[in-house]
Amino acid sequence: MRTDRLALRAITWALCLCLAAPAAAADLQEHTARAFDSYVKQARRAFLERIGGVAADGSKVQRGATLRDAEVTAGPAGEDGIIAVPGGLVHHWMGSTFIAGASLQDVLAVSYAYDEYHAVYKPVSASRLLGREGNTYRALLRIGESGAGLSAILDVTTRVQYSYPHSRSVYSTSASDEIREVRNAGKTNEHSLSPGHDSGYLWRAATFTHFLQRDSGVLVEMEAIGLSRQFPSLLRWIIEPVAQRLGRRSVERSLREFGEAVRARARQAMS
């Protein structure tokens, strides 16, 4: 057992050392950004087709029919969840949950409350609504993430547009306007790096979310897409499984925390 622990510790240190050097000099290239934009465009089209109830072969889709209250499912939305593009990696995960007894008004009240996101999602340490124009919201979130030998504090400025196809369905599509990595967060020498010129932990992000009212509650479906730098080739076989677990857990956690916030709000309204 001791030998196994020492071996694991050695691998962990190797990961940290090998990742540290490229992390300081990762730059987002224009062709990588274009590849990500193209991927998101196709993913958004597929998302809209799916929530419209039509599969790629034209058949009707019955989604989440067997989900029980508070149950969360999550998995890769493309390939194994991590898709190589020129100069980077796309991380694409999707999940769903069911909130029994909730209404669309309940879930939207939590979704709209960007000033309160820091109280809903554990990775979010600060949140602020920057503005609203009609059904489009702009928000600033400070997010702390870690994994695969790296940790980062990110200030993410995001733009979220809500659409209302019919009385029982609402969906939102969000895209990051800017992501800045923050160094020495909370200290007197705190400063942010130029977007796209940082560790490459997260260069771009997009999220698609669908709220579907059912007789007994609301089905919530979410897709999260991010763009990062490539893994070091010699350590990809170690890092990729870790990144896959983190991607799945991130979606699971977000859906679970959102559901808990909706239930807490409903309890407050009833008291």
Side-chain angles (χ1 to χ4, degrees):
M1 292 293 293
R2 179 174 173 79
T3 301
D4 292 341
R5 288 197 299 269
L6 289 174
L8 180 59
R9 186 175 298 174
I11 290 173
T12 302
W13 276 108
L15 282 172
C16 293
L17 289 172
C18 290
L19 288 169
D27 289 333
L28 174 61
Q29 303 298 318
E30 186 176 344
H31 66 278
T32 305
R34 286 199 304 267
F36 179 73
D37 291 342
S38 177
Y39 184 94
V40 170
K41 183 177 180 180
Q42 294 176 15
R44 185 179 186 277
R45 185 182 303 117
F47 166 78
L48 293 177
E49 290 175 354
R50 186 167 56 256
I51 67 173
V54 180
D57 61 3
S59 61
K60 288 290 183 181
V61 177
Q62 295 293 327
R63 304 179 314 278
T66 61
L67 280 178
R68 299 183 299 273
D69 181 37
E71 183 180 358
V72 175
T73 64
E79 297 183 15
D80 61 358
I82 301 177
I83 301 95
V85 295
L89 296 171
V90 172
H91 305 256
H92 190 182
W93 297 86
M94 64 191 305
S96 59
T97 192
F98 185 70
I99 309 175
S103 67
L104 275 179
Q105 289 71 27
D106 293 329
V107 297
L108 288 174
V110 175
S111 185
Y112 293 151
Y114 294 97
D115 286 337
E116 302 300 323
Y117 271 30
H118 63 280
V120 174
Y121 302 104
K122 289 182 180 178
V124 179
S125 60
S127 55
R128 179 160 53 97
L129 177 65
L130 299 177
R132 176 187 176 186
E133 293 183 7
N135 296 326
T136 301
Y137 295 71
R138 290 186 70 248
L140 174 62
L141 310 178
R142 173 159 290 192
I143 303 172
E145 291 288 0
S146 63
L150 284 176
S151 62
I153 302 296
L154 307 171
D155 279 345
V156 181
T157 304
T158 186
R159 186 181 304 270
V160 190
Q161 182 173 3
Y162 288 83
S163 299
Y164 309 84
H166 54 80
S167 62
R168 298 175 67 86
S169 175
V170 178
Y171 69 87
S172 67
T173 58
S174 74
S176 57
D177 284 344
E178 182 179 88
I179 298 178
R180 287 182 175 269
E181 184 173 333
V182 181
R183 295 287 172 86
N184 303 316
K187 300 179 180 179
T188 56
N189 59 341
E190 174 184 314
H191 64 282
S192 59
L193 305 181
S194 298
H197 305 283
D198 48 29
S199 71
Y201 192 98
L202 184 67
W203 281 326
R204 295 282 191 277
T207 306
F208 312 140
T209 307
H210 182 220
F211 306 119
L212 180 64
Q213 179 75 66
R214 291 187 167 163
D215 293 339
S216 55
V218 175
L219 174 68
V220 182
E221 302 169 294
M222 185 183 76
E223 291 188 37
I225 309 175
L227 175 65
S228 77
R229 66 182 181 87
Q230 296 172 322
F231 302 140
S233 57
L234 292 178
L235 291 173
R236 184 183 179 96
W237 66 278
I238 299 175
I239 300 173
E240 185 160 348
V242 176
Q244 289 168 339
R245 288 195 295 272
L246 290 170
R248 184 190 301 271
R249 289 174 186 171
S250 177
V251 169
E252 289 176 343
R253 181 181 60 196
S254 294
L255 287 168
R256 188 169 291 109
E257 291 172 344
F258 180 79
E260 290 171 354
V262 172
R263 292 182 185 89
R265 182 184 183 278
R267 288 193 297 269
Q268 275 188 336
M270 293 176 62
S271 62

